[in-house]
Amino acid sequence: METDCIAPARPRSRADGWLDWVQMATGAALALFACMHMIFLSSVLFGAGALNGLSAVMDALHLETVGGVLIAIVFCVHATVAARKIPFKAAQAATAWRHARLLHHPETWAWVAQVGTAFILAVFITIHIWTGLTDLPVQALKSAVRVQHGGWFWVFLLVLPALALHLVIGAWRAGAKWGLITRENRADITRKGLYLLGGFLCLSLLTLLRFRLLPLE
Amino acid sequence: MQIIHTDLLTIGAGLAGERCAIEVAGAGFSVVCLSLVPARRSHSVAAQGGMQAALGNAIMGDGDSPDVHFLDTVKGSDWGADQEVARMFVEAAPIEMRRLAHWGVPWNRVVAGMHTYWKGGKPFDATEKAENHGLIHSRAFGGTAKWRTCYASDGAGHAVLYTMDNRAAQLGVTVHDRSEAVSLIHDGETCHGAIVRCLRTGELRAYLARATLVASGGYGRIYRASTNAIICEGTGLSLALDTGVAKLGNMEAVQFHPTGTVPTDILVTEGCRGDGGTLLDRDEYRFMPDYEPDKAELASRDVVSRRMIEHMRTGKGVQSPYGEHLWLDIRHLGEQHIRTKLREVDEICQNFLGIDPLHQLIPVRPTQHYSMGGVRTDKTGAAYGLKGLFSAGESACWDLHGFNRLGGNSLAETVVAGGIVGRNIAEFLQGYDTAFSTAHVREAAARDDARIRRIVSGADGKESVYAVREAMYDILERAAYVFRNGTDLTWGVQALQEVHERAQHIGLASDGVGANAELALAIRMPGMVRLALCVCHGALMRTESRGSHTREDFPERNDRDWLNRTLASWRPGADLPHLDYEPATSYVELPPGDRGYGGGKIIPAAS
Amino acid sequence: MQRSLTFNIFRHNPQDPASVPHMDTYRLDETDSMTLFIALHRLREEQDPSLKFDFCCRAGVCGSCAMVINGRPGLACHTKTRDLPDTITLLPLPVFRLVGDLAVDTGTWFRAMYQRTESWIHTRAEFDPAAQEARMENEVANAIYELDRCIECGCCVAACGTANLRPDFLAPAGFIRVARFAADPRDQRTDADFYEIIGSDEGIFGCMGLLACEDVCPKHLPLQNQLGYLRRKMGLTVLKKLLPFGG
Ligand SMILES: Cc1cc2nc3c(=O)[nH]c(=O)nc-3n(C[C@H](O)[C@H](O)[C@H](O)COP(=O)(O)OP(=O)(O)OC[C@H]3O[C@@H](n4cnc5c(N)ncnc54)[C@H](O)[C@@H]3O)c2cc1C
Ligand code: HEM
Ligand code: HEM
Ligand code: SF4
Ligand code: F3S
Ligand code: FES
């Protein structure tokens, strides 16, 4: 007679509770930052001067250095903590993939998308933060050069949608996990999330185009 | 072969089995429960309506007492019940309901103030007493003088079974699911446990137990159209019958529920009628008041079933591809009521019939529903004929229900009898020793093993198990349904004997390896046919109409000759059950009289 | 018009060493009001008696018959063929151990779950047979019942990505069980007690908010809302532990 059963629970751990908070908080902080960052950069739509002006103000307040380092740390923490949830083993990844394909369930696909985009973000945002932080203060021309001649245009073309997806899905996920998204408001919030996704994408793509087309003199 | 030792083996982990197990485990004995399915999937889970207990908290149950409950029960049984048992039951029921509340059942509670209830399709207002606020509530059920049925929304069986299984888990009761007892180990005097077949692997195991309890539920599935779960095939009863010494009581007493849906035979709860649902015919005419001016749709279920068939016979049934049926109308109960209080019913209509009961009529017909018959026990739950064998719940003939069970009494019986029989078993186990003969175990296992091998290899023939079952269905449907008569029953007994012979020659079409359903059915089939024969033969012999047993050729209840209980046993090699009779009750509190409904003449007992 | 249905059914008998997992195809003419219960039984009785699947109540209340129907876990007995396309693919529930073909061993899984969640009322009160029952508000009783309605079909477990990835995950069915006792005033366990059970990544913090559980539950249990509730409750419990005066 077979009597084996699912593995017994590990004794409770305070660490897991904390890590869960940390994951959500860092994710939320990054998401907030990314939105601000986007709005900040989009000032370039009004011309290089607008961006440079804003940047000068922030730099004078040391926001760019201090904030930049802080966000770099948050980014690292988030990546480390959230990576616990990623099925790295081949067999696990295969299970996750098979499961998502079988289920026809948008929210499960959304999670797969979030994990996929996490890899893109891990690689490129790391490099990007490095480039950004070593070349402060932010100035429209420096960026335009990077975008027009440094190959960053194509990188951002990949990173932008990845970020937008990861961010919006992440925010939605945090809401779902913590019960801000309920059975009653789920459809509504999901719709709003899609608007946010679209808005974020439009704004950042326009910004990118602007950098691309910004006269270099 | 694996051998498992335990103090108590319960064959069945439904409400009755687990309630006993809890009592015995609580007294410090080891208990193993067997079940065909995970314990919580046992058929008890399907009961929607509730359990009767004279708590008298609800305003419509005001003035209720065990005495009134006793009268309802004995009248309902058409004086077939053992009145001593009925008395024990009604006294213990309120305590059991409270105990269940203590264990966690979310019974609905009385809310003080004015409420609108339904009766006979009409709303009325009643004011619940402030001093009863928060106590266990009750609702109406057919055949009762007071509103007495404790309920948990529309899932009393679910709520109670889950609580019971929780309690069993808490006490460390072991449940071996997907395990089917296939024979009892006994020496003709004492029962020593059972040979059990694992439904995962097909292996045989032996369970040696000082006490064995049959709590395997009903045998409704010997009928084609039954509201019972498909596992209710009466196997527990047939293994008791196969000992040759244990006896089955009142097997001909089979209850039909008025409102099984067509075509899937799913029960829609009596609560529908209790709450004011009505029955309509092809002209959407409400006919029940014509037959039963007083109670109309709320008359006891055998009466309603019979009236429905009677009415269909006048040509007023609705024709459908699945046969004739009538309509149940709950549209007037309103959206709020249907979608909340009757949600289970609502879901059944939407999910299984594809109709919306808010706007459409529900197709219903009388369908097999409850088996009053079972392993005959004394009032302590000890089976006749074999020491160490007990029975409780629907599989037992304890005999609370006589020839007709009151709605809500059976679920209550499982926990009340479970408690009483459990205590008795614990007492029995105290200081009881028995020697297990390895020879008996080996013999029993070898016999079962050989039988199974012959079925798999087709050594005895190539009869299809499904064909044999169809044949049994056809016969019972004609001979032993709501109405019975001598001609059909005589034919039925004979035809079933032929089917019984065919059942000895079943051979598999598949390989029979592992969790093979064809083999599992093939193993049960001969036993099921024997149960069918007990029903048919008992019904043929009983030349009167009592409770749910209705003979067209003997329409009167005959207290002079038949105020007794049929006892069926099966002697080795026989092709018919051996029948004898015992008085219905030796303790008489309520002398036989008129039930007050159902009509019919009574031939009084010679005093 | 009557349709001819094609069934692609997963086949594997773990008890037969020669058996390899594969799909078999069957054809059946559709009839009125046909459910998968009717269809599968006809297939077994008319075409292939070795087919393995579980049904019990056939009325959507016992939870036996869950399987993956065209990709979605659901109860076969309350799935009407008329709601499905001509081709129906049936797979056993993942996560649970396979018994054979479409039948899986939910019983063992759920029993382990009861032990982990200690799925019973924890109280120091003794039952007094002579006393009247303790009072309870009807609303409370109804609220408990709403959470008690889980039929342990396993659909939510099978649909949950996390449960598929980690076999030690308590899974939505386990959480709803905890929520049921947390809502019951008769159960004297505190948040800290519940934290012992679900305060880990195998517990509520493992849930990734996929909400497939919510979407497949045939009994429409309020999984999403209760999971969020439990996470907040457990999240606050862990926060409180940091505070000097916290519980
Ligand atoms: C649809 C429906 C609704 C009902 N509603 C009500 C109601 O509202 N009120 C009321 O009072 N009554 C109601 N009843 C009747 C009541 O539900 C049953 O009489 C009662 O639940 C029987 O309980 P039990 O414990 O005796 O058997 P069950 O709950 O049927 O349990 C039988 C157990 O035996 C096991 N078993 C069987 N054979 C074997 C074997 N050979 N080996 C091992 N295990 C075996 C099964 O797996 C199961 O665990 C209803 C019945 C039906 C069909
Ligand atoms: C190295 C880069 C990153 C990795 C590997 C990563 C990984 C992940 C993963 C796997 C999750 C899902 C966790 C779960 O479901 O439990 C997640 C959640 C989240 N991520 Fe990221 N992420 C990265 C960067 C970012 C960035 C740049 C942002 C912000 C723009 C972000 C915002 C979020 C948010 C808001 C959540 C939801 C938090 C939660 O559910 O608790 N992530 N991340
Ligand atoms: C740490 C400090 C950071 C600095 C100083 C910084 C600075 C900049 C600058 C100057 C640009 C313009 C393009 C360029 O110069 O390459 C830019 C673009 C961008 N940054 Fe950052 N960044 C930082 C962190 C981040 C982080 C953490 C993210 C991810 C969440 C991010 C996402 C992006 C994206 C997506 C773009 C492209 C925007 C577009 O073209 O619309 N950056 N950043
Ligand atoms: S929560 Fe729903 S899906 Fe999950 S086991 Fe219970 S009833 Fe099934
Ligand atoms: S699907 Fe699984 S991850 Fe959470 S929301 Fe449901 S338990
Ligand atoms: S058979 Fe019981 S839920 Fe489907």
Side-chain angles (χ1 to χ4, degrees):
Chain A
M1 187 180 45
E2 298 165 277
T3 50
D4 66 311
C5 48
I6 48 177
R10 187 160 56 85
R12 58 113 200 190
S13 144
R14 271 197 220 183
D16 290 349
W18 278 111
L19 289 176
D20 203 47
W21 275 113
V22 170
Q23 179 181 324
M24 193 265 279
T26 52
L30 283 169
L32 218 64
F33 169 82
C35 291
M36 309 289 286
H37 183 40
M38 234 59 265
I39 293 168
F40 166 72
L41 281 180
S42 65
S43 60
V44 78
L45 292 173
F46 301 104
L51 177 58
N52 291 346
L54 261 182
S55 170
V57 174
M58 291 180 67
D59 201 38
L61 298 170
H62 298 289
L63 269 182
E64 291 195 348
T65 30
V66 178
V69 171
L70 267 182
I71 216 62
I73 295 171
V74 171
F75 177 79
C76 290
V77 172
H78 175 76
T80 318
V81 174
R84 291 175 307 145
K85 307 280 175 174
I86 299 181
F88 283 113
K89 286 190 192 135
Q92 276 195 324
T95 306
W97 184 246
R98 191 164 27 82
H99 176 71
R101 288 205 13 210
L102 186 69
L103 201 60
H104 312 302
H105 182 252
E107 285 79 356
T108 299
W109 275 120
W111 181 79
V112 173
Q114 208 186 2
V115 171
T117 53
F119 285 100
I120 300 175
L121 298 180
V123 175
F124 293 107
I125 298 290
T126 312
I127 304 175
H128 166 71
I129 293 182
W130 183 256
T131 344
L133 281 184
T134 50
D135 195 14
L136 286 177
V138 172
Q139 275 179 348
L141 266 190
K142 284 196 259 178
S143 299
V145 170
R146 268 196 292 270
V147 167
Q148 293 179 26
H149 299 291
W152 279 97
F153 178 75
W154 302 105
V155 172
F156 282 137
L157 220 48
L158 174 70
V159 168
L160 272 182
L163 180 68
L165 276 173
H166 191 92
L167 183 154
V168 172
I169 297 173
W172 184 92
R173 179 168 318 294
K177 282 175 167 183
W178 291 88
L180 300 172
I181 300 180
T182 60
R183 175 177 285 187
E184 295 72 30
N185 65 19
R186 173 174 170 193
D188 191 39
I189 293 201
T190 305
R191 195 159 26 85
K192 288 184 178 142
L194 289 175
Y195 292 153
L196 181 67
L197 181 73
F200 190 95
L201 265 179
C202 288
L203 187 64
S204 53
L205 279 173
L206 279 176
T207 308
L208 185 61
L209 269 180
R210 187 77 179 93
F211 278 123
R212 173 90 190 184
L213 301 174
L214 202 70
L216 287 183
E217 299 75 53
Chain B
M1 185 180 61
Q2 198 182 2
I3 299 186
I4 293 162
H5 288 266
T6 176
D7 291 324
L8 171 66
L9 175 70
T10 85
I11 300 173
L15 275 178
E18 289 210 320
R19 181 67 189 86
C20 273
I22 287 167
E23 206 60 42
V24 173
F29 296 101
S30 64
V31 183
V32 177
C33 296
L34 303 175
S35 177
L36 305 173
V37 290
R40 292 174 192 223
R41 312 221 192 285
S42 298
H43 185 53
S44 298
V45 84
Q48 302 170 323
M51 300 189 172
Q52 296 223 24
L55 288 158
N57 298 327
I59 190 66
M60 295 303 292
D62 201 28
D64 199 10
S65 70
D67 293 336
V68 186
H69 190 184
F70 176 85
L71 293 185
D72 283 344
T73 302
V74 175
K75 281 187 196 164
S77 80
D78 227 354
W79 278 270
D82 181 325
Q83 296 194 15
E84 194 178 2
V85 162
R87 185 37 87 179
M88 271 164 43
F89 165 79
V90 295
E91 298 291 342
I95 300 172
E96 281 304 322
M97 297 310 122
R98 295 183 176 128
R99 193 192 309 272
L100 291 172
H102 181 74
W103 285 347
V105 172
W107 293 124
N108 278 72
R109 302 295 180 126
V110 175
V111 178
M114 183 124 94
H115 296 268
T116 302
Y117 297 115
W118 290 81
K119 194 173 191 173
K122 289 196 186 65
F124 66 93
D125 288 333
T127 305
E128 296 293 350
K129 293 181 187 165
E131 73 253 35
N132 287 349
H133 183 80
L135 298 178
I136 298 172
H137 204 10
S138 42
R139 58 155 61 136
F141 236 42
T144 64
K146 300 280 180 188
W147 288 22
R148 177 188 302 129
T149 308
C150 307
Y151 65 105
S153 197
D154 47 19
H158 173 99
V160 177
L161 183 61
Y162 272 49
T163 299
M164 198 66 82
D165 195 45
N166 285 339
R167 178 75 185 164
Q170 183 184 3
L171 293 179
V173 170
T174 312
V175 179
H176 290 173
D177 63 23
R178 290 186 188 264
S179 296
E180 173 167 0
V182 289
S183 70
L184 292 177
I185 304 169
H186 70 101
D187 55 15
E189 279 167 16
T190 311
C191 181
H192 295 303
I195 301 294
V196 174
R197 187 166 169 273
C198 176
L199 296 177
R200 293 180 176 85
T201 62
E203 284 165 0
L204 290 184
R205 301 192 291 263
Y207 287 69
L208 293 181
R210 292 198 289 144
T212 306
L213 173 81
V214 176
S216 58
Y219 48 91
R221 281 286 162 180
I222 62 173
Y223 286 89
R224 176 183 286 124
S226 167
T227 61
N228 292 11
I230 58 172
I231 59 165
C232 296
E233 298 181 311
T235 45
L237 275 68
S238 67
L239 20 138
L241 187 66
D242 289 349
T243 61
V245 280
K247 297 184 177 197
L248 304 184
N250 281 350
M251 291 294 285
E252 64 271 32
V254 177
Q255 190 177 72
F256 295 83
H257 196 287
T259 51
T261 57
V262 181
T264 29
D265 308 312
I266 298 172
L267 173 96
V268 297
T269 171
E270 199 142 49
C272 279
R273 285 176 296 124
D275 290 357
T278 54
L279 290 167
L280 308 181
D281 63 15
R282 56 184 291 176
D283 309 321
E284 303 199 6
Y285 170 75
R286 184 176 169 206
F287 57 90
M288 276 307 291
D290 295 354
Y291 296 94
E292 301 289 327
D294 253 11
K295 296 230 166 190
E297 281 85 359
L298 288 177
S300 84
R301 48 181 65 159
D302 59 320
V303 174
V304 177
S305 295
R306 202 175 326 134
R307 297 305 194 194
M308 287 169 77
I309 296 231
E310 234 176 294
H311 198 66
M312 284 198 276
R313 284 188 181 172
T314 65
K316 293 288 185 185
V318 185
Q319 301 297 332
S320 89
Y322 306 99
E324 231 175 316
H325 62 79
L326 292 159
W327 299 115
L328 173 65
D329 184 8
I330 60 171
R331 295 173 299 186
H332 52 284
L333 299 184
E335 176 151 10
Q336 162 76 8
H337 194 89
I338 292 174
R339 303 278 196 249
T340 58
K341 288 213 150 182
L342 297 172
R343 178 169 57 193
E344 218 77 24
V345 176
D346 189 29
E347 283 177 4
I348 288 168
C349 291
Q350 313 247 13
N351 293 336
F352 300 92
L353 306 174
I355 65 165
D356 181 356
L358 196 57
H359 306 293
Q360 286 165 289
L361 299 169
I362 310 169
V364 293
R365 69 178 162 210
T367 302
Q368 192 286 337
H369 182 49
Y370 187 82
S371 13
M372 270 74 72
V375 179
R376 176 65 184 141
T377 69
D378 62 18
K379 64 178 180 196
T380 71
Y384 282 20
L386 269 185
K387 193 172 167 197
L389 182 66
F390 298 81
S391 185
E394 190 169 345
S395 62
C397 180
W398 184 33
D399 180 4
L400 173 66
H401 309 300
F403 278 80
N404 183 48
R405 163 202 72 135
L406 231 48
N409 255 0
S410 47
L411 213 53
E413 179 197 13
T414 62
V415 293
V416 174
I420 294 173
V421 175
R423 272 190 294 285
N424 291 330
I425 293 175
E427 213 164 277
F428 167 85
L429 286 171
Q430 213 83 50
Y432 167 76
D433 280 308
T434 181
F436 297 115
S437 141
T438 47
H440 279 135
V441 181
R442 221 177 330 105
E443 235 171 70
R447 194 185 52 236
D448 290 332
D449 189 51
R451 184 162 86 87
I452 293 168
R453 279 173 203 281
R454 294 180 76 79
I455 295 174
V456 174
S457 66
D460 295 328
K462 271 295 185 191
E463 277 286 355
S464 149
V465 64
Y466 298 114
V468 170
R469 193 180 59 175
E470 283 307 304
M472 174 182 75
Y473 284 163
D474 287 340
I475 297 165
L476 285 182
E477 206 160 274
R478 180 171 144 202
Y481 221 61
V482 179
F483 284 103
R484 296 141 184 214
N485 62 61
T487 322
D488 286 342
L489 284 167
T490 310
W491 164 82
V493 168
Q494 211 169 18
L496 279 173
Q497 282 177 303
E498 282 158 28
V499 172
H500 187 239
E501 182 54 31
R502 283 173 65 190
Q504 313 300 318
H505 301 285
I506 291 171
L508 292 196
S510 64
D511 60 7
V513 177
N516 182 296
E518 188 193 17
L519 176 56
L521 183 61
I523 296 171
R524 290 171 204 149
M525 205 58 229
M528 288 168 68
V529 182
R530 285 194 281 276
L531 296 184
L533 267 164
C534 290
V535 172
C536 237
H537 190 47
L540 173 63
M541 290 300 140
R542 184 170 285 276
T543 47
E544 65 156 353
S545 295
R546 183 182 296 274
S548 61
H549 169 71
T550 308
R551 286 282 298 256
E552 293 166 300
D553 42 355
F554 297 94
E556 57 291 309
R557 188 181 92 199
N558 184 341
D559 290 340
R560 187 187 61 217
D561 304 317
W562 290 105
L563 192 55
N564 60 16
R565 181 174 301 109
T566 311
L567 297 176
S569 53
W570 201 286
R571 299 181 167 169
D575 60 356
L576 258 191
H578 171 80
L579 302 184
D580 49 311
Y581 297 87
E582 65 175 12
T585 184
S586 45
Y587 162 95
V588 182
E589 205 178 310
L590 185 69
D594 184 7
R595 284 210 282 177
Y597 49 81
K601 274 215 337 258
I602 298 173
I603 300 174
S607 47
Chain C
M1 215 200 57
Q2 201 189 40
R3 293 190 300 170
S4 168
L5 303 174
T6 303
F7 289 85
N8 295 315
I9 300 182
F10 175 88
R11 305 299 309 275
H12 177 49
N13 184 355
Q15 296 304 321
D16 179 358
S19 166
V20 277
H22 66 283
M23 301 294 289
D24 274 349
T25 302
Y26 303 90
R27 240 168 278 282
L28 199 62
D29 286 334
E30 189 174 32
T31 52
D32 281 346
S33 306
M34 185 185 250
T35 59
L36 287 183
F37 166 78
I38 296 173
L40 280 168
H41 276 88
R42 275 190 54 196
L43 287 180
R44 175 149 82 197
E45 286 166 28
E46 295 164 16
Q47 300 187 26
D48 186 346
S50 71
L51 254 183
K52 298 170 188 64
F53 46 78
D54 288 328
F55 285 95
C56 181
C57 69
R58 60 80 187 79
V61 293
C62 78
S64 296
C65 63
M67 56 183 70
V68 179
I69 304 158
N70 284 349
R72 279 290 175 113
L75 296 180
C77 71
H78 85 178
T79 302
K80 298 186 285 292
T81 53
R82 76 166 194 221
D83 297 337
L84 296 172
D86 294 351
T87 301
I88 300 167
T89 302
L90 302 177
L91 303 174
L93 291 188
V95 182
F96 302 97
R97 184 162 11 87
L98 186 72
V99 170
D101 301 346
L102 301 174
V104 295
D105 190 351
T106 47
T108 306
W109 192 98
F110 276 97
R111 227 174 305 121
M113 186 274 273
Y114 314 152
Q115 298 302 336
R116 264 172 79 173
T117 56
E118 301 197 353
S119 159
W120 50 81
I121 298 273
H122 291 53
T123 177
R124 280 173 295 278
E126 288 286 326
F127 176 69
D128 174 3
Q132 204 173 42
E133 63 273 22
R135 288 170 201 260
M136 181 185 263
E137 287 302 318
N138 194 45
E139 286 153 38
V140 176
N142 279 330
I144 298 170
Y145 181 76
E146 281 305 302
L147 302 177
D148 197 54
R149 287 172 47 246
C150 166
I151 57 170
E152 299 189 350
C153 61
C155 287
C156 59
V157 182
C160 171
T162 314
N164 274 268
L165 286 175
R166 43 190 318 167
D168 54 1
F169 185 49
L170 187 55
F175 300 138
I176 200 77
R177 179 60 43 83
V178 171
R180 181 245 174 271
F181 286 100
D184 195 325
R186 289 168 293 200
D187 195 313
Q188 295 169 345
R189 278 179 284 186
T190 61
D191 287 357
D193 294 328
F194 287 121
Y195 193 85
E196 300 282 329
I197 300 168
I198 55 168
S200 69
D201 276 353
E202 292 80 15
I204 192 71
F205 299 126
C207 163
M208 303 194 295
L210 299 172
L211 299 194
C213 55
E214 166 90 2
D215 295 340
V216 300
C217 175
K219 290 283 148 183
H220 309 293
L221 270 98
L223 289 167
Q224 172 179 5
N225 294 0
Q226 288 300 320
L227 261 53
Y229 169 73
L230 286 179
R231 197 185 207 97
R232 291 197 301 278
K233 202 176 167 76
M234 293 299 107
L236 287 179
T237 306
V238 80
L239 280 189
K240 272 193 219 147
K241 295 205 175 190
L242 188 75
L243 301 172
F245 314 109

